[in-house]
Amino acid sequence: MVTTPHEPPAHPAPPVYVVGGGPGGLAVAAALRGRGVRAVVLEKSDAVGASWRAHYDRLRLHTTRRLSGLPGLRMPRSFGRWVARADVVRYLEKYAEKHELEVVTGVEVFGIERSGEEWVLHATGGRRLVGSAVVVATGFNHTPNLPEWPGLDAYGGEVSHARAYRAPEPYAGRDVLVVGAGNTGAEIAADLAGGGAKRVRLAVRTVPHIVRRTTAGWPAQRTGILVRRLPVPVVDRLGAVMARFAAPDLSAYGLPRPDTGLATRQRQGAIPVQDVGLVDAVRSGKVEVVAAVEGFEGGEVLLADGTRIAPDAVIAATGYRRALEPLVGGLGVLDERGRPVVHGARCPRDAPGLYFTGFTNPISGMFRELAIDAEKIARAIARRAARAEARAKAKAKTETKVEAKAAAKAAAAAAAAKTETEAEAKAAGSAKAAGDVTLPPEAPAPAGGGR
């Protein structure tokens, strides 16, 4: 998929390259285009929204449609309040089309480095692309993370990452262990329980905060927006109070209330689990909560409490890695967890012109924050481009003045030389005229010398 803007700029400068054709990358590209800055989106797959195409069928946005639109295009009312995965894909396709974004698919970027005031991207096919700025938007859920459990290599059973899960039908009548109680693990467990699996167990290492998607019509996302700027201790206390009224106590089923506050946990990288069926499935016994997985031995899974179980299939909902090290690992822009040290409109101190978006997991909603960051990044890049253009014009003006001064000096020197040459020629002509004068002959002396 390749689209191009209507008209190239009159004085084309290197474009801004956006790495990643997901919602974050598309939003930045649209915001840049709206400010007259050319942006080229590089997507390694064959279409935009690749990660959303790969998610399980049941998935819906955990944020409301009204608060999930990207800059310049609202999500249609026909999508409903909680937008389905397939509709998100359609929305991203329509978004790229409406904004006429310049998207180049099938191009993977392997490395980014700075070259003077510009950035060089090394991409598929030996391409060397030069940009005025780079926005990295490769996504929070980039590379599946499968723990290196002891005995996993020798395990003869079926083990897959949640990325490969699409629907419950292949697991009908089977005993399934889902590992990980984040939003993905909780939703897959509920999906399996309602989709015909014979037995579903959910292995939990860290008890999650569970919140209702809505309470009396009020979406959890709006609460997240309201409290996101408050101090962590305050949000932790508010979260504990709200949980007593809005979230059931599942201690009897193996899911006690967490001993770490909601905001504290979010700072550690874990957002609350929105209940889209897990609570009812646990209460009804359709999903059994078990201890964390410690390893594999023979055909059995070893749990932290010493229990051994032998499921027919194991689905690891164990998260993703950002996988930014190969891309920018040598630039000193990542923290100890491999995440960008800054995001949004800020650039790393030693990497001006390098931006990151989509590498946080906010309780206020990913799409909403992507939209906000896109506008901020575009504004920062546009200002940076304007300053660069002003410097270039000032430099060109100075050079023009210097050239004009030099030309005037040369002209004056030439005129002086011409005047001097003419004077010399005139002098030479006068001398020649004097040498050519013929004097009259002297009169002969009188004979006899006198009278």
Side-chain angles (χ1 to χ4, degrees), residues 324-346:
L324 290 170
E325 290 82 1
L327 202 61
V328 295
L331 299 175
V333 297
L334 304 178
D335 63 16
E336 65 281 356
R337 295 185 298 172
R339 299 185 183 187
V341 294
V342 297
H343 74 279
R346 293 190 299 158

Short mmCIF file of all heavy atoms in Angstrom, two decimals, residues 324-346:
data_model
loop_
_atom_site.label_atom_id
_atom_site.label_comp_id
_atom_site.label_asym_id
_atom_site.label_seq_id
_atom_site.Cartn_x
_atom_site.Cartn_y
_atom_site.Cartn_z
N LEU A 324 13.46 -2.83 20.97
CA LEU A 324 14.04 -1.62 20.39
C LEU A 324 15.57 -1.66 20.32
O LEU A 324 16.18 -0.81 19.67
CB LEU A 324 13.61 -0.40 21.19
CG LEU A 324 12.13 -0.01 21.07
CD1 LEU A 324 11.79 1.06 22.10
CD2 LEU A 324 11.82 0.48 19.67
N GLU A 325 16.17 -2.62 21.01
CA GLU A 325 17.64 -2.65 21.07
C GLU A 325 18.31 -2.72 19.70
O GLU A 325 19.25 -1.96 19.45
CB GLU A 325 18.10 -3.82 21.96
CG GLU A 325 17.81 -3.65 23.43
CD GLU A 325 16.38 -4.03 23.80
OE1 GLU A 325 15.62 -4.45 22.89
OE2 GLU A 325 16.02 -3.91 24.99
N PRO A 326 17.87 -3.59 18.80
CA PRO A 326 18.53 -3.61 17.47
C PRO A 326 18.36 -2.31 16.70
O PRO A 326 19.20 -1.95 15.88
CB PRO A 326 17.84 -4.78 16.75
CG PRO A 326 17.24 -5.61 17.84
CD PRO A 326 16.85 -4.63 18.91
N LEU A 327 17.27 -1.62 16.98
CA LEU A 327 16.94 -0.42 16.22
C LEU A 327 17.71 0.80 16.70
O LEU A 327 18.33 1.52 15.91
CB LEU A 327 15.44 -0.18 16.31
CG LEU A 327 14.77 0.66 15.24
CD1 LEU A 327 14.93 0.02 13.87
CD2 LEU A 327 13.28 0.82 15.57
N VAL A 328 17.70 1.04 18.01
CA VAL A 328 18.31 2.26 18.56
C VAL A 328 19.16 1.99 19.80
O VAL A 328 19.50 2.91 20.54
CB VAL A 328 17.22 3.31 18.91
CG1 VAL A 328 16.50 3.79 17.67
CG2 VAL A 328 16.21 2.72 19.92
N GLY A 329 19.50 0.72 20.02
CA GLY A 329 20.21 0.35 21.23
C GLY A 329 21.55 1.02 21.41
O GLY A 329 22.01 1.21 22.54
N GLY A 330 22.19 1.41 20.32
CA GLY A 330 23.50 2.04 20.42
C GLY A 330 23.48 3.54 20.61
O GLY A 330 24.55 4.18 20.66
N LEU A 331 22.30 4.12 20.75
CA LEU A 331 22.18 5.58 20.84
C LEU A 331 22.04 6.08 22.27
O LEU A 331 21.97 7.30 22.50
CB LEU A 331 20.97 6.05 20.02
CG LEU A 331 21.00 5.74 18.52
CD1 LEU A 331 19.70 6.15 17.86
CD2 LEU A 331 22.18 6.44 17.86
N GLY A 332 21.97 5.15 23.23
CA GLY A 332 21.82 5.58 24.63
C GLY A 332 20.47 6.20 24.93
O GLY A 332 20.37 7.11 25.76
N VAL A 333 19.41 5.72 24.26
CA VAL A 333 18.08 6.32 24.43
C VAL A 333 17.10 5.38 25.12
O VAL A 333 15.91 5.69 25.21
CB VAL A 333 17.52 6.75 23.06
CG1 VAL A 333 18.39 7.82 22.43
CG2 VAL A 333 17.37 5.55 22.11
N LEU A 334 17.59 4.22 25.62
CA LEU A 334 16.72 3.25 26.27
C LEU A 334 17.10 3.10 27.74
O LEU A 334 18.26 3.26 28.12
CB LEU A 334 16.82 1.88 25.58
CG LEU A 334 16.54 1.85 24.07
CD1 LEU A 334 16.74 0.44 23.53
CD2 LEU A 334 15.12 2.36 23.78
N ASP A 335 16.10 2.77 28.57
CA ASP A 335 16.38 2.54 29.98
C ASP A 335 16.74 1.08 30.21
O ASP A 335 16.89 0.31 29.26
CB ASP A 335 15.21 2.98 30.86
CG ASP A 335 13.94 2.16 30.60
OD1 ASP A 335 14.02 1.08 29.98
OD2 ASP A 335 12.85 2.60 31.02
N GLU A 336 16.86 0.69 31.49
CA GLU A 336 17.29 -0.67 31.81
C GLU A 336 16.27 -1.73 31.39
O GLU A 336 16.61 -2.91 31.24
CB GLU A 336 17.58 -0.80 33.31
CG GLU A 336 16.37 -0.61 34.23
CD GLU A 336 16.02 0.86 34.43
OE1 GLU A 336 16.76 1.73 33.92
OE2 GLU A 336 15.00 1.14 35.11
N ARG A 337 15.02 -1.31 31.16
CA ARG A 337 13.99 -2.26 30.71
C ARG A 337 13.87 -2.30 29.19
O ARG A 337 13.00 -3.00 28.65
CB ARG A 337 12.64 -1.90 31.32
CG ARG A 337 12.57 -2.04 32.84
CD ARG A 337 11.16 -1.77 33.34
NE ARG A 337 10.73 -0.40 33.05
CZ ARG A 337 9.49 0.05 33.25
NH1 ARG A 337 8.56 -0.77 33.72
NH2 ARG A 337 9.18 1.30 32.98
N GLY A 338 14.71 -1.53 28.51
CA GLY A 338 14.64 -1.50 27.06
C GLY A 338 13.57 -0.59 26.51
O GLY A 338 13.19 -0.70 25.34
N ARG A 339 13.07 0.34 27.35
CA ARG A 339 12.05 1.27 26.90
C ARG A 339 12.66 2.66 26.72
O ARG A 339 13.66 2.99 27.36
CB ARG A 339 10.91 1.33 27.92
CG ARG A 339 10.23 -0.02 28.12
CD ARG A 339 9.04 0.08 29.03
NE ARG A 339 8.44 -1.23 29.27
CZ ARG A 339 7.29 -1.42 29.92
NH1 ARG A 339 6.64 -0.38 30.42
NH2 ARG A 339 6.81 -2.64 30.09
N PRO A 340 12.07 3.48 25.86
CA PRO A 340 12.63 4.84 25.64
C PRO A 340 12.67 5.65 26.93
O PRO A 340 11.75 5.58 27.74
CB PRO A 340 11.65 5.45 24.63
CG PRO A 340 11.01 4.29 23.95
CD PRO A 340 10.91 3.22 24.99
N VAL A 341 13.74 6.43 27.08
CA VAL A 341 13.87 7.25 28.29
C VAL A 341 12.91 8.44 28.25
O VAL A 341 12.61 9.03 29.29
CB VAL A 341 15.33 7.75 28.45
CG1 VAL A 341 16.27 6.58 28.72
CG2 VAL A 341 15.79 8.52 27.21
N VAL A 342 12.44 8.80 27.07
CA VAL A 342 11.43 9.85 26.91
C VAL A 342 10.41 9.39 25.88
O VAL A 342 10.65 8.43 25.15
CB VAL A 342 12.05 11.19 26.46
CG1 VAL A 342 13.02 11.73 27.49
CG2 VAL A 342 12.76 11.02 25.10
N HIS A 343 9.28 10.08 25.84
CA HIS A 343 8.30 9.77 24.81
C HIS A 343 7.54 11.04 24.47
O HIS A 343 7.67 12.07 25.14
CB HIS A 343 7.34 8.67 25.28
CG HIS A 343 6.34 9.13 26.29
ND1 HIS A 343 6.65 9.24 27.63
CD2 HIS A 343 5.05 9.54 26.18
CE1 HIS A 343 5.61 9.67 28.30
NE2 HIS A 343 4.62 9.88 27.45
N GLY A 344 6.77 10.96 23.40
CA GLY A 344 5.99 12.14 22.98
C GLY A 344 6.87 13.18 22.33
O GLY A 344 7.76 12.87 21.54
N ALA A 345 6.63 14.45 22.67
CA ALA A 345 7.31 15.56 21.98
C ALA A 345 8.73 15.78 22.44
O ALA A 345 9.45 16.59 21.85
CB ALA A 345 6.51 16.85 22.18
N ARG A 346 9.17 15.07 23.47
CA ARG A 346 10.54 15.24 23.94
C ARG A 346 11.48 14.30 23.22
O ARG A 346 11.14 13.15 22.93
CB ARG A 346 10.62 15.00 25.45
CG ARG A 346 9.88 16.03 26.28
CD ARG A 346 10.20 15.85 27.75
NE ARG A 346 9.79 14.53 28.24
CZ ARG A 346 10.30 13.96 29.31
NH1 ARG A 346 11.26 14.55 30.00
NH2 ARG A 346 9.86 12.78 29.71
#
